[in-house]
């Protein structure tokens, strides 16, 4: 693995020992509803993830040779690809690597909600990179929706899956229109409902607010710009508890500064 771009902000506040991680776990994982791991090696991988040491978290997670460790590795690599990798070619490679591992994880551990979610996440970000139109032509839309539906069926409290499913509905309708979007299972009302549920389940989330803001504009157009700006302003004021949340907040701040 080539050297990855490091987390660019001070990370001391995001370094958790076992007790601190246990105490903050429910808040840190309000988005993905991941259970607190009892395996110390998996817990160490999560500690590296939360501190923004994504490359080390991938290595540590894979070394556990467990499904729980694979979840950490896939999430860390997805965050690296989405926020810190500058090369489009390398970003695509990182996402497709996560897709391949998540597909294997789904086969071996089909009851693992985050295996399905991270498959959908990596496919979704890859789809955005190649264009939603091309992704739909390749049949990726159905795969993403199926993975998110399965995530929610397995874990109804999975806030991030609800938010991602809202984004799916919004992006398909934005690309194809409401009528043709139905052929992909997309619905404006369902999209808005998913965004609201994601934010209700994880009310401290900056990324849920940003995805909701983007989705509102895609679904409703300029009439929702003021609402979207308000959501971005709220996202920029969120207090991050780990490196990934800090990256989300910084994206919101950068958008408001434009």
């Amino acid at each position: 693995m080539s050297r990855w771009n490091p987390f660019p902000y001070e990370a001391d506040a995001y370094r958790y020992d076992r007790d601190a991680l246990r105490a903050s776990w429910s808040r840190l994982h309000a988005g993905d509803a991941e259970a607190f791991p009892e395996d110390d090696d998996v817990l160490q991988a999560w500690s590296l993830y939360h501190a923004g040491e994504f490359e080390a978290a991938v290595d540590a997670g894979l070394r556990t040779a467990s499904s729980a460790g694979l979840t950490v590795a896939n999430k860390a690599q997805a965050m690296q690809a989405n926020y810190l990798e500058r090369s489009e070619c390398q970003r695509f490679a990182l996402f497709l690597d996560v897709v391949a591992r998540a597909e294997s994880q789904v086969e071996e551990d089909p009851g693992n909600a985050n295996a399905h979610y991270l498959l959908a996440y990596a496919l979704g970000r890859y789809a955005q990179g190649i264009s939603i139109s091309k992704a739909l032509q390749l049949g990726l839309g159905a795969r993403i929706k199926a993975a998110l539906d399965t995530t929610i069926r397995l874990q109804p409290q999975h806030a991030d899956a609800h938010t991602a499913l809202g984004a799916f509905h919004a992006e398909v309708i934005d690309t194809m229109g409401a009528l043709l979007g139905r052929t992909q299972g997309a619905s404006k009302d369902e999209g808005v409902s998913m965004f609201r549920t994601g934010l209700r389940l994880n009310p401290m989330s900056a990324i849920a607010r940003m995805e909701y803001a983007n989705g509102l504009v895609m679904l409703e157009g300029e009439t929702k710009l003021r609402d979207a700006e308000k959501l971005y302003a709220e996202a920029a004021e969120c207090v991050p508890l780990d490196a990934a949340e800090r990256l989300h907040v910084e994206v919101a701040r950068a958008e408001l500064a434009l």
Side-chain angles (χ1 to χ4, degrees):
M1 183 181 294
S2 60
R3 186 66 186 172
W4 287 359
N5 297 321
F7 178 69
Y9 306 105
E10 174 57 53
D12 284 350
Y14 312 136
R15 300 189 189 281
Y16 295 88
D17 61 22
R18 181 184 181 87
D19 290 341
L21 197 52
R22 183 185 287 277
S24 300
W25 190 264
S26 61
R27 166 63 177 80
L28 286 166
H29 290 269
D32 65 9
E34 180 74 4
F36 184 83
E38 296 304 327
D39 183 293
D40 286 342
D41 291 333
V42 174
L43 191 65
Q44 176 59 23
W46 276 117
S47 294
L48 292 165
Y49 167 86
H50 290 301
E53 296 182 36
F54 297 135
E55 185 174 24
V58 172
D59 290 341
L62 294 179
R63 279 199 305 271
T64 69
S66 68
S67 184
L70 188 55
T71 296
V72 191
N74 284 346
K75 188 165 187 176
Q77 187 160 321
M79 292 301 103
Q80 179 74 27
N82 199 49
Y83 293 102
L84 299 179
E85 180 51 57
R86 302 184 187 96
S87 163
E88 180 179 79
C89 182
Q90 179 64 6
R91 185 181 307 118
F92 287 171
L94 290 171
F95 280 134
L96 291 177
D97 192 28
V98 172
V99 168
R101 291 200 303 251
E103 285 177 329
S104 296
Q105 187 183 15
V106 163
E107 289 182 5
E108 296 174 7
D109 189 12
N112 186 321
N114 276 318
H116 296 274
Y117 171 72
L118 289 165
L119 172 60
Y121 183 92
L123 275 176
R125 293 307 191 194
Y126 175 74
Q128 290 172 332
I130 65 172
S131 87
I132 299 301
S133 178
K134 183 176 181 180
L136 292 173
Q137 292 173 13
L138 293 172
L140 298 187
R143 293 176 64 190
I144 292 165
K145 186 175 186 301
L148 291 172
D149 285 340
T150 301
T151 303
I152 293 170
R153 176 176 59 78
L154 292 170
Q155 176 47 271
Q157 302 303 304
H158 201 296
D160 290 346
H162 283 90
T163 297
L165 196 49
F168 166 84
H169 287 284
E171 288 176 345
V172 169
I173 289 173
D174 184 54
T175 301
M176 303 182 70
L179 187 60
L180 286 177
R182 292 178 189 170
T183 65
Q184 296 288 328
S187 156
K188 181 186 294 188
D189 289 344
E190 186 70 10
V192 171
S193 176
M194 287 293 160
F195 284 127
R196 289 175 176 169
T197 300
L199 195 52
R200 175 178 59 79
L201 291 171
N202 190 9
M204 306 301 289
S205 174
I207 189 63
R209 285 175 166 80
M210 289 187 286
E211 294 286 8
Y212 190 8
N214 297 337
L216 278 177
V217 175
M218 283 188 270
L219 291 169
E220 303 287 356
E222 292 186 1
T223 61
K224 292 297 182 179
L225 277 177
R226 183 163 297 187
D227 291 337
E229 290 170 358
K230 181 176 183 292
L231 285 164
Y232 261 90
E234 290 174 359
E237 294 298 319
C238 288
V239 178
L241 288 194
D242 75 352
E245 290 187 359
R246 175 67 181 275
L247 290 168
H248 299 157
V249 169
E250 292 297 335
V251 168
R253 292 173 178 172
E255 184 69 22
L256 289 172
L258 294 177

